């Protein structure tokens, strides 16, 4: 892509970023730096471990940047009570968006009711907060399974369906994102897509934006309907803007 094209992609993609730090060695200092970057973006949200939500609330208070956190992460367990408690604690600490890992192993065993119960319980605990359901599409792998997980999450109250935790061998792929977008379109619900895991280059953002434009229409992608979950992508997008300036 040319510098001008890169800058155009960056202008569209930056406001969609969920600037993320879910590394095992994440620290308060790293999260503080993440929040500074978020304020300079501008980006849609930061996404951090629950223990860092209070620090984000202090750093981002009064800004438009939303605070997201993860629950039942990354393994997608089946303890509904524990996950609901984790959700409620995060919301009390200041989280505004909750990224829940679907009990995808249960779904792969054919135990749809187990997965549905988790989503519905967390949906109830979230109240008006945004609920994103992580499908872990790289592990589900089969298109029919990804489509079924997408429909289940949407039917159970997800505001967004999200590709991946970023912790599995295969993270986001355009093929999985296309299946998820089709499920959103066919549901008739005002739900969104979050693409997460492995996005590092401006070209990666361009791929998913083009996919959304093709399947959902050129005016569909906005922070209310599409998120890009990444940390290293931020630097690439800012650099693209700087080159074009």
């Amino acid at each position: 892509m040319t510098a001008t094209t890169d800058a155009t992609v960056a202008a569209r993609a930056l406001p969609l970023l969920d600037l993320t730090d879910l590394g095992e060695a994440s620290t308060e200092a790293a999260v503080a730096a993440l929040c500074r970057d978020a304020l300079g973006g501008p980006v849609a949200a930061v996404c951090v471990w629950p223990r860092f939500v209070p620090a984000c609330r202090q750093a981002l208070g009064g800004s438009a940047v939303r605070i997201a956190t993860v629950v039942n992460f990354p393994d997608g367990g089946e303890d509904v009570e524990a996950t609901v408690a984790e959700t409620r604690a995060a919301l009390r600490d200041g989280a505004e968006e909750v990224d829940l890992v679907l009990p995808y192993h249960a779904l792969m065993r054919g135990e749809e009711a187990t997965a549905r119960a988790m989503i519905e319980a967390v949906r109830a605990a979230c109240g008006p907060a945004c609920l994103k359901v992580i499908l872990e599409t790289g592990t589900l792998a089969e298109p029919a399974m990804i489509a079924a997980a997408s429909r289940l999450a949407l039917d159970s109250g997800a505001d967004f369906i999200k590709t991946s935790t970023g912790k599995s061998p295969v993270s986001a792929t355009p093929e999985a994102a296309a299946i998820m977008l089709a499920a959103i379109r066919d549901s008739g619900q005002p739900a969104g897509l979050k693409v997460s895991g492995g996005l590092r280059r401006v070209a990666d953002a361009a791929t998913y934006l083009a996919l959304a434009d093709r399947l959902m229409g050129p005016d569909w992608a906005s922070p209310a309907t599409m998120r890009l979950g990444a940390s290293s992508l931020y630097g690439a997008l800012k650099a693209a803007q700087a080159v074009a300036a």
Side-chain angles (χ1 to χ4, degrees):
M1 292 189 292
T2 66
T4 301
T5 303
D6 280 359
T8 300
V9 171
R12 291 188 67 193
L14 269 169
L16 308 181
L17 279 190
D18 280 8
L19 201 53
T20 301
D21 186 347
L22 294 171
E24 299 299 329
S26 183
T27 63
E28 291 254 358
V31 169
L34 190 80
C35 290
R36 288 193 295 272
D37 284 345
L39 291 170
V43 303
V46 297
C47 186
V48 298
W49 292 104
R51 64 183 179 273
F52 295 122
V53 167
C56 290
R57 184 179 186 177
Q58 183 173 3
L60 299 171
S63 78
V65 179
R66 297 175 64 80
I67 302 168
T69 194
V70 290
V71 298
N72 205 31
F73 187 94
D75 296 329
E78 297 164 30
D79 189 334
V80 173
E81 185 176 350
T83 305
V84 166
E86 188 179 17
T87 301
R88 288 175 174 157
L91 293 170
R92 284 195 301 269
D93 285 342
E96 300 163 288
E97 302 183 356
V98 172
D99 289 23
L100 162 72
V101 183
L102 175 78
Y104 57 92
H105 298 292
L107 190 63
M108 293 171 74
R109 296 193 303 267
E111 298 174 13
E112 181 179 304
T114 300
R116 185 181 298 276
M118 174 69 79
I119 301 171
E120 290 180 346
V122 175
R123 169 75 276 167
C126 278
C130 178
L131 174 62
K132 309 188 199 90
V133 176
I134 306 170
L135 307 185
E136 202 66 296
T137 54
T139 302
L140 294 178
E142 293 296 326
M145 185 64 72
I146 295 169
S150 298
R151 290 191 297 269
L152 173 65
L154 293 166
D155 290 346
S156 301
D159 296 303
F160 279 75
I161 48 178
K162 176 178 171 181
T163 56
S164 324
T165 61
K167 306 292 186 180
S168 58
V170 178
S171 291
T173 65
E175 293 78 13
I179 294 167
M180 296 165 72
L181 284 167
I184 293 167
R185 181 192 62 206
D186 296 345
S187 75
Q189 297 173 219
L193 171 72
K194 180 172 175 179
V195 182
S196 181
L199 279 71
R200 296 181 177 86
R201 303 170 302 144
V202 175
D204 296 327
T207 293
Y208 290 105
L209 285 169
L211 188 63
D213 289 347
R214 178 168 62 84
L215 292 177
M216 308 299 283
D219 299 322
W220 182 79
S222 75
T225 57
M226 189 171 186
R227 300 288 180 86
L228 304 173
S231 51
S232 54
L233 181 58
Y234 175 83
L237 296 175
K238 293 295 282 187
Q241 287 188 323
V243 167

